Amino acid sequence: MAPDAADRTVDVVRAGVAYRCRPVHAVHAADAADATDVLALYESLGPDSRLRRFGQPVPRYDRGLRRALTEFDLGPVWLARDRLGSCVGEARVAASRREPCSHLAVTVADAVQGRGLGPALARLAVTDAIRLGLAPVVVTIAADNRPALRLAARHGIELRWDDGLLSGRVRLRRGPVRAA
C-alpha cells in the first residue's frame, strides 16, 4: 500500500448512517467477481491471523475451504479495498445451516489491522443481515483471540463459554463505528 493511502479515511453512508473506515479507498458489497481478490486476502494472512480467523492453524487452503471463502450467497459480505484495488478487509454474515442464527466473521489484512476497519465492516454486514432477516447474529471467538475479545467488550457483546469457545449475540448500537 502506498504511504499516503495509510492515513486515508473513507466515510460510507448507508441508510443515513456514516461508517468511518481507514485505511481504505472503497467499501462495497461482494459478488462472484470478487472471489479471486478475497482468496488473495486470505493467502496474504500470516500464521497468527489465520489462527485467529479459523481457530486452528491453516498452513494452506484446501479446495473445500477455498469454496467456502468464495461463497457469497449465504448472507451479506462486505469488502474494503485500498487505493491500488487490493482487498484489505472482509466481513461476512452467513446463515447457519444447522442453527436458527447467523454467524459473523471478520478478516483484515495484517498490514492494516488495528485501524478501525474490522468494526466498520462488521457493522455493515450485521446491519444488512438484520435487514435481510438473518438475525440473531452471533460471534464465536477463541479464548486467546485478544483483538476479537477487546472488540466484543468494546461493543457490549456478552460472551459465554460454548464448547470450548466464547460465543455471544451481536447487538447493534445506534450511530457510526468510530475508527481507532
Side-chain angles (χ1 to χ4, degrees), residues 162-173:
D162 181 20
D163 199 24
L165 298 168
L166 293 161
S167 184
R169 227 174 167 173
V170 177
R171 299 187 197 313
L172 285 181
R173 296 184 196 168

Side-chain angles (χ1 to χ4, degrees), residues 24-114:
V24 300
H25 181 68
V27 176
H28 65 91
D31 62 31
D34 296 306
T36 301
D37 294 338
V38 168
L39 289 175
L41 166 65
Y42 280 96
E43 291 289 348
S44 76
L45 296 176
D48 290 342
S49 293
R50 290 179 184 204
L51 180 62
R52 284 192 302 269
R53 171 59 174 86
F54 298 106
Q56 62 186 19
V58 180
R60 65 179 186 79
Y61 299 105
D62 64 24
R63 186 178 308 171
L65 185 53
R66 293 170 74 82
R67 185 174 42 250
L69 293 174
T70 56
E71 247 182 350
F72 302 132
D73 60 346
L74 297 176
V77 179
W78 282 86
L79 302 180
R81 293 182 179 280
D82 66 14
R83 189 172 56 95
L84 302 175
S86 299
C87 183
V88 294
E90 175 211 51
R92 66 176 62 214
V93 175
S96 175
R97 292 182 172 129
R98 296 179 304 234
E99 306 167 294
C101 66
S102 299
H103 297 274
L104 170 66
V106 179
T107 304
V108 176
D110 293 350
V112 297
Q113 289 179 5

Side-chain angles (χ1 to χ4, degrees), residues 11-26:
D11 290 331
V12 177
V13 179
R14 185 155 172 84
V17 178
Y19 302 93
R20 180 154 283 185
C21 308
R22 65 179 190 197
V24 300
H25 181 68

